[in-house]
Structure formats: C-alpha cells, structure tokens
C-alpha cells in the first residue's frame, strides 16, 4: 500500500534507457470508482494538453523513483478518456469532507492510500481540523467520500 503524498514530486525514470524524464505533480483519482488512474506530470497550458502516466504504464514505485518502460509511457491526457474526464472536472480532493458509510463526519481529506498494482484506493487520511488533530491526532480510515461542499 502506498501513500499518495509520498509519490508526489518523485522523479520518473525509464527502464529502457535509465533516463529521468519527468516528476510526478499529482495523482489522478476517480472518486466514483475509488480508483487511482495515473499520475499528472505536466499541467495543461494555453496551447498544450496535460501530460500523464496511466497507472498501467508504471512498472514500479520505489522509494526514490517511479519506473516506466520508456518515454512513450508519458501521454497526452486526451488520449486516455477516463483521465481526460477527471482532469476536465477539475476536482480538488484535498479538504473534501469524509463521511463514514453511516453518515458520521470524520473530517477533511488530507491524503489517500492506494494499492500500487491495482490502483484501488484502500483508505484515506482525514483531518478533523487543527485543534482536533492536536488533541487526538490524524486518523487513517477506510470510509466513504462525500462530494458535498458544506
């Protein structure tokens, strides 16, 4: 199991030539399927598409780098329909309200934990706020995610 924030800013290295080609900017997460789809490596610009690495292109996630087969593992976001849709929605996950399946508010999303092979999100790190964190510490919990902004 991997922690999402531990992957951000890792260098991407190709296994065919050993080249450093990118850095991970963010995770691309489908909250409806509870699935990590890939990694954002270059944001969309005025005249250019975002570039991503679909999860199936990742050979390994190490402590220092993410390994992909070649430079061709980095693709334009519009070439992967599921990723294109997520990026188009422009969903910001950090701070999203987290509820248990029974409807109990746990706090705001701080991080997520995922299986590096399947991409399945196995849990979330939530914060009840600065004072709650100081009093009881942050919790790692498996729970449902609310898309409500209340």
């Amino acid at each position: 199991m991997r922690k999402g924030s531990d992957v951000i800013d890792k260098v991407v290295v190709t296994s065919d030539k050993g080249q450093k080609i990118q850095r991970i900017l963010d995770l691309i997460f489908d909250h409806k399927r509870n699935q990590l789809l890939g990694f954002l490596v270059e944001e969309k610009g005025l005249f250019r598409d975002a570039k991503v690495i679909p999860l199936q292109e990742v050979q390994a996630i190490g402590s220092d780098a993410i390994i992909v087969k070649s430079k061709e593992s980095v693709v334009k976001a519009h070439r992967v329909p599921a990723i294109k849709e997520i990026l188009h929605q422009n969903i910001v996950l950090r701070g999203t309200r987290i509820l248990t399946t029974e409807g109990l508010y746990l706090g705001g999303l701080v991080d997520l934990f995922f299986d590096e092979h399947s991409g399945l999100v196995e849990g979330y790190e939530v914060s009840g706020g600065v004072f709650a964190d100081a009093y009881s510490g942050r919790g790692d919990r498996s729970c449902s995610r609310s898309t409500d902004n209340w």
Side-chain angles (χ1 to χ4, degrees):
M1 185 165 57
R2 293 283 178 176
K3 188 173 182 180
S5 62
D6 291 344
V7 176
I8 294 175
D9 204 37
K10 279 200 189 305
V11 67
V12 179
V13 177
T14 63
S15 63
D16 64 348
K17 295 185 179 178
Q19 286 181 299
K20 294 179 184 178
I21 56 170
Q22 294 283 352
R23 280 199 177 273
I24 303 298
L25 298 177
D26 208 347
L27 307 175
I28 303 169
F29 169 64
D30 182 344
H31 70 275
K32 292 177 184 171
R33 293 185 354 206
N34 210 36
Q35 186 80 28
L36 181 71
L37 302 178
F39 304 101
L40 179 69
V41 294
E42 193 173 306
E43 294 191 49
K44 181 178 180 177
L46 187 57
F47 297 107
R48 70 179 192 283
D49 197 4
K51 290 187 180 178
V52 300
I53 299 173
L55 187 62
Q56 59 268 25
E57 293 292 322
V58 174
Q59 293 181 325
I61 300 176
S63 59
D64 298 315
I66 292 181
I67 308 300
V68 296
K69 183 175 182 179
S70 68
K71 287 167 69 170
E72 286 73 37
S73 297
V74 177
V75 298
K76 292 184 177 182
H78 77 270
R79 293 186 52 204
V80 185
I83 289 178
K84 177 184 174 184
E85 178 62 28
I86 295 299
L87 292 178
H88 179 72
Q89 293 173 9
N90 200 25
I91 297 172
V92 176
L93 294 176
R94 189 172 298 273
T96 299
R97 295 175 62 85
I98 302 294
L99 304 172
T100 66
T101 53
E102 291 80 29
L104 176 66
Y105 173 69
L106 296 176
L109 179 67
V110 174
D111 210 341
L112 55 86
F113 297 87
F114 65 94
D115 179 275
E116 66 186 87
H117 303 291
S118 69
L120 181 65
V121 174
E122 298 176 342
Y124 302 99
E125 182 178 346
V126 297
S127 169
V130 176
F131 296 112
D133 288 351
Y135 178 72
S136 61
R138 285 190 185 152
D140 299 335
R141 300 179 175 101
S142 295
C143 49
S144 67
R145 180 181 172 277
S146 168
T147 56
D148 297 336
N149 294 321
W150 16 294

